[in-house]
Structure formats: C-alpha cells, structure tokens
Amino acid sequence: MESQFDLSFFQSKLKTHWIGQNVQYFKELQSTNTYAKKASPDEVQQGTVCITDHQTKGRGQYERNWESEKAKNLTFSLVFRPQESGRFHVLTLGCALAIVEYLNHFLDEHCAYIKWPNDVMLNDKKVAGLLAETVFSGNKLDRLIIGIGLNVNQQNFSPELSDKATSIFLEKGGPVKRELFLSDLLSRIEYKYNLWHRQQPSLIKSINRNIEGYGQWIKLVVDDILLDDTYKLLGVDETGKLLLLNHEGGIESFSYEQIRLLVD
Ligand code: BTN
C-alpha cells in the first residue's frame, strides 16, 4: 500500500529554523534536482526543500538513473544559497554524515557509514545517494543543490540491485513514518550546515571518522584506471579533497569526481 507524503503533518513536526521552512511538494516530478536547478531564484530561497513522491527521471551520480518506488522513499533536493562558492563537497559530505548519524541513532546500532564519494551505506548495502549540483549566474554562485535519495520503506529492488541496495524498512523490520524521519533529519542537516558555514574543524573530523576505509591502506581507481599501489586513506581536507599517503611518504590529493576507492 502506498500513501502520499503528508505535507501538513511534516510541517507540523518540523523543528528547524530555516531548512524546509519553504517546502515545495509535488506528487510527481521528473527530478527534484532538475526542478531546483531550473526554478526561478525567488522560488528557491536558502533552505528550500523540493520533494516528490514519484520521480520519473531521477538522476544519480556518473549520469546514472536513480530508481525509487513511488510513495515509499524520500526523494528530495535541498537548495543552499551561500555567499562563498567553494568547499561544496564538504557540505555534501556533511549532509551524508547527518544521514549516517541519524540512521545509527534511529536503529540504535553503529551500522551506517559514508562510502566515497556520496553514498550512505547501511549494513554494507546502499541506503542513500546524494547528488550535488551548482547553478552559476556568470561567475557568481546562484545556488547549490544537494539531492538526496533515501530508501525508506521500499522492500523490493530490481535483480541488479537486490544484493547491493537496502532500505530502513528492511534493516529495521518494519515501516517508517517518512514525514517524521525527514523532519528530524532536516534538523540534523541544519546543524551540520552551521558547522560548515563556521568552518568548524569538528565537521571534517566527524566526516572522516565515518568514511569507509579511513586510516586503512586501500586500492584506488583514478579516472577509471586501477592503480597498482595501495594508499593510506587520510580523509578529506577542509576543501573537500581526498588526501592519500603513498608508500614514499608523500601526500596526494584528489578531487571527488576523479577517484573511487576499493576497500577490503
Ligand atoms: C547516487 O547515488 O547516484 C545519487 C542519487 C541521488 C538521487 C536524488 S533523488 C532526489 C534528487 N533528484 C534527483 O534526480 N536525484 C537526486
């Protein structure tokens, strides 16, 4: 049984100061990220949340599609309009961290972590993915959009995904009220945003502690080529670049699109 996202219930539970105070709900939309990118600047202020129950052309990282069963999950985009135009990846990772911490709290278990670059894993299966996109007006950043697809109540995945994807329902063994989950999650994201805005080093430390492979020697795929050597994962720096130690003792840094990590 599918039931539509209850917007007024969600709004009655929302305790944030600004994220989600402007919310745009659509029964069906091609993609919340595409909508948020194309909307006029006055439709999407700082903290606007665009959410839909059914994405017909949901987009994922690396030009992939994002499939999500109708009215079961959370598919939404957050719009940020910061003054500065750098460090985006840290904010995206901050949102991923908020999801990880909330899942660990919600399930009362240390079972979630970030998989580089933008996945959230639950008991070693993907439960959420994030897609960050920017809109510039000339040289000036107009908005940053962080799209989040979070599998909440979906119980069946396509054969290609069934051993790689999961949902909160499957791990908890029961249904989850999406409106409550989202309202609490947005409070946590708002808190992380404030840390990001104030450039608090504690944010980077918490991100790193929750990234798969942190402190381990791992294999790398750079621009689709598997490197022979192993590297020690030192985590992200304050600009969002990934730092890796090579066997000669040198530190190499990579932008997030460039690199995939293979962790045993
Ligand atoms: C990934 O893991 O590949 C990222 C998936 C991002 C999916 C979300 S769902 C809401 C928003 N709208 C989209 O079209 N994509 C993002």
Side-chain angles (χ1 to χ4, degrees):
M1 236 249 325
E2 70 189 39
S3 80
Q4 189 175 308
F5 187 80
D6 185 340
L7 187 59
S8 20
F9 179 53
F10 162 73
Q11 286 173 314
S12 73
K13 295 293 172 190
L14 189 64
K15 292 190 211 76
T16 58
H17 296 285
W18 52 276
I19 291 190
Q21 293 300 333
N22 176 31
V23 59
Q24 303 190 12
Y25 168 79
F26 303 88
K27 230 172 147 174
E28 185 178 289
L29 205 59
Q30 287 197 342
S31 149
T32 56
N33 263 39
T34 308
Y35 172 83
K37 267 169 95 171
K38 292 192 176 156
S40 74
D42 4 312
E43 284 174 305
V44 284
Q45 67 229 34
Q46 164 82 338
T48 294
V49 172
C50 309
I51 179 163
T52 186
D53 262 321
H54 185 208
Q55 274 191 150
T56 53
K57 275 195 188 160
R59 296 186 290 111
Q61 299 156 30
Y62 311 110
E63 316 281 311
R64 295 190 192 124
N65 297 331
W66 180 259
E67 306 292 344
S68 179
E69 204 179 317
K70 191 172 170 180
K72 290 275 165 105
N73 299 318
L74 287 167
T75 44
F76 62 101
S77 299
L78 306 167
V79 182
F80 296 110
R81 310 194 68 185
Q83 295 301 311
E84 57 171 310
S85 59
R87 303 190 299 123
F88 295 148
H89 195 52
V90 178
L91 183 56
T92 311
L93 287 167
C95 293
L97 175 67
I99 300 173
V100 164
E101 289 179 350
Y102 189 37
L103 286 170
N104 288 337
H105 168 81
F106 190 78
L107 297 168
D108 196 19
E109 213 186 319
H110 195 81
C111 47
Y113 59 88
I114 301 169
K115 186 180 173 78
W116 183 267
N118 281 339
D119 293 347
V120 176
M121 309 296 285
L122 189 53
N123 292 324
D124 300 328
K125 290 181 169 186
K126 181 162 169 172
V127 69
L130 291 86
L131 178 68
E133 298 183 288
T134 46
V135 175
F136 279 85
S137 164
N139 286 337
K140 196 176 172 308
L141 175 74
D142 181 81
R143 69 195 81 154
L144 166 66
I145 295 149
I146 299 183
I148 301 180
L150 176 61
N151 299 330
V152 181
N153 286 319
Q154 186 161 336
Q155 292 178 67
N156 300 299
F157 291 91
S158 61
E160 314 84 74
L161 288 181
S162 61
D163 56 348
K164 294 191 207 123
T166 192
S167 67
I168 311 175
F169 182 112
L170 290 175
E171 302 303 315
K172 175 177 176 274
V176 176
K177 202 103 193 97
R178 291 183 297 156
E179 297 80 357
L180 290 177
F181 196 91
L182 183 61
S183 61
D184 284 349
L185 177 62
L186 293 183
S187 293
R188 286 169 179 263
I189 290 178
E190 190 173 272
Y191 182 75
K192 299 297 182 206
Y193 182 94
N194 292 335
L195 294 179
W196 176 80
H197 182 65
R198 297 200 307 267
Q199 306 201 21
Q200 290 284 318
S202 63
L203 177 63
I204 306 284
K205 284 191 190 140
S206 310
I207 289 169
N208 285 335
R209 274 199 300 271
N210 284 280
I211 289 190
E212 180 190 31
Y214 178 55
Q216 293 175 27
W217 289 91
I218 57 169
K219 299 280 287 177
L220 301 183
V221 179
V222 180
D223 297 327
D224 285 330
I225 297 164
L226 175 66
L227 305 187
D228 291 334
D229 283 341
T230 56
Y231 292 78
K232 187 173 184 173
L233 179 57
L234 302 179
V236 279
D237 67 8
E238 64 289 347
T239 66
K241 287 213 163 140
L242 198 65
L243 303 178
L244 292 135
L245 180 71
N246 62 32
H247 281 278
E248 286 75 51
I251 294 177
E252 298 184 28
S253 81
F254 295 90
S255 71
Y256 85 101
E257 304 91 345
Q258 254 184 320
I259 187 169
R260 284 193 295 126
L261 314 181
L262 300 181
V263 181
D264 281 338

